[in-house]
Amino acid sequence: MSSAQQSQQRTEKQPLYDIDPSTGRKVPHKRINNAYLVHQRWVEKQERLKLRQKAKAEGRPLPPGDDLDAEEEPSFVANAIFTTAYAGFVVLVIALLAGQFIHGDFLWGYRGKWTKWQTYFPPKMRVFTPEELLKYNGDSGEGPVYLAIKGDVFDVTPGRRNYGSGGPYHFFAGRDASRAYVTGCFDTHLTHDLRGLTPAEQSMLDGWYSFYAQHPQYFKVGTVQLPYIDPATPIPPSCDQPRDQKP
């Protein structure tokens, strides 16, 4: 192979020089020069972008620039959104680590509704009749256990020990017994009839509703069609010896 052919083959495999875009000079083709060349191309590109942005703002024809418009710098709003999101993420990580270090718990002991996956992926809500809801009272020992309060149905299966068959609060399961939550009459007030309750008792009932709605393990699954209550019918009488309220 002649020296000319060897030189041509070497040139085809690896150019001996690169062109510096900022000066047009030849630069020896070495790995150490690659970063310099990349930076120079970036600087040149930014200058072309500024010229195009200025022309666009002044309504003049844009100078040639291939697809530079699609590669322009992100807007101020986009940068602000990214910066805010990143800062929020950093603060969140620091707060979680601090909770684990100080309190021994990443969530600082919080176990409310925001720790339940159902809050972010709620199940399909179902409308129950009283007869359908009664099927979920836990008597079978299997399947979910539901109860209702103020017309909303909650899955309390993780509390089967309390609400299932033989549990101390089994009478709440499979029905809406809202009145009994505040009167303590667990024998005669297992009803959704709230007539005659005082504002303080209504507020107490709201507290029990929040107990289920905010519980880290219980979650809402639907509503129950409560039977109509004739206003002419007597209000449930108070019991003589109300039991301690549900803990």
Side-chain angles (χ1 to χ4, degrees):
M1 180 182 295
S2 65
S3 59
Q5 289 176 331
Q6 292 177 348
S7 176
Q8 182 180 0
Q9 184 179 18
R10 184 171 61 253
T11 302
E12 291 176 353
K13 289 183 178 179
Q14 180 175 327
L16 297 179
Y17 297 97
D18 290 312
I19 303 299
D20 176 4
S22 62
T23 63
R25 294 184 297 109
K26 289 183 178 181
V27 178
H29 184 83
K30 297 180 181 179
R31 180 174 297 179
I32 195 173
N33 291 330
N34 288 346
Y36 170 76
L37 293 171
V38 170
H39 175 72
Q40 290 299 331
R41 293 189 183 100
W42 180 83
V43 170
E44 184 182 62
K45 180 178 178 181
Q46 298 310 306
E47 291 298 325
R48 299 202 313 272
L49 279 171
K50 290 179 181 178
L51 290 176
R52 291 174 65 82
Q53 291 171 345
K54 183 177 180 181
K56 183 185 294 186
E58 296 175 354
R60 296 185 286 104
L62 299 181
D66 299 326
D67 297 327
L68 288 179
D69 283 337
E71 302 176 10
E72 291 182 358
E73 292 283 330
S75 67
F76 172 78
V77 175
N79 281 327
I81 292 175
F82 174 79
T83 302
T84 302
Y86 179 75
F89 174 76
V90 172
V91 170
L92 176 62
V93 171
I94 293 175
L96 293 175
L97 294 177
Q100 179 64 26
F101 179 75
I102 298 173
H103 196 274
D105 181 13
F106 285 111
L107 301 179
W108 294 80
Y110 174 75
R111 288 298 181 272
K113 62 183 266 187
W114 301 111
T115 62
K116 296 187 292 186
W117 65 265
Q118 290 88 356
T119 300
Y120 309 98
F121 304 98
K124 184 178 180 180
M125 294 292 104
R126 177 179 171 185
V127 179
F128 296 83
T129 63
E131 294 74 23
E132 290 171 335
L133 183 59
L134 188 59
K135 297 176 182 178
Y136 298 91
N137 64 359
D139 279 347
S140 66
E142 299 179 353
V145 180
Y146 296 165
L147 61 76
I149 181 170
K150 297 182 66 175
D152 285 346
V153 180
F154 291 90
D155 185 328
V156 295
T157 307
R160 185 186 297 275
R161 179 184 300 177
N162 291 321
Y163 300 103
S165 181
Y169 306 115
H170 177 55
F171 43 75
F172 283 114
R175 70 177 82 200
D176 187 321
S178 296
R179 189 179 191 88
Y181 279 91
V182 295
T183 64
C185 299
F186 299 147
D187 295 322
T188 59
H189 283 190
L190 299 178
T191 173
H192 63 283
D193 188 349
L194 303 180
R195 293 178 300 159
L197 294 184
T198 66
E201 289 172 328
Q202 290 280 3
S203 179
M204 186 183 300
L205 182 59
D206 291 339
W208 286 120
Y209 181 92
S210 296
F211 168 79
Y212 291 103
Q214 302 290 338
H215 198 281
Q217 293 181 300
Y218 305 155
F219 56 94
K220 182 180 175 180
V221 293
T223 59
V224 58
Q225 296 174 336
L226 298 174
Y228 172 74
I229 297 176
D230 186 348
T233 58
I235 295 176
S238 299
C239 54
D240 295 332
Q241 294 181 334
R243 286 185 270 170
D244 291 337
Q245 294 180 17
K246 174 182 173 299

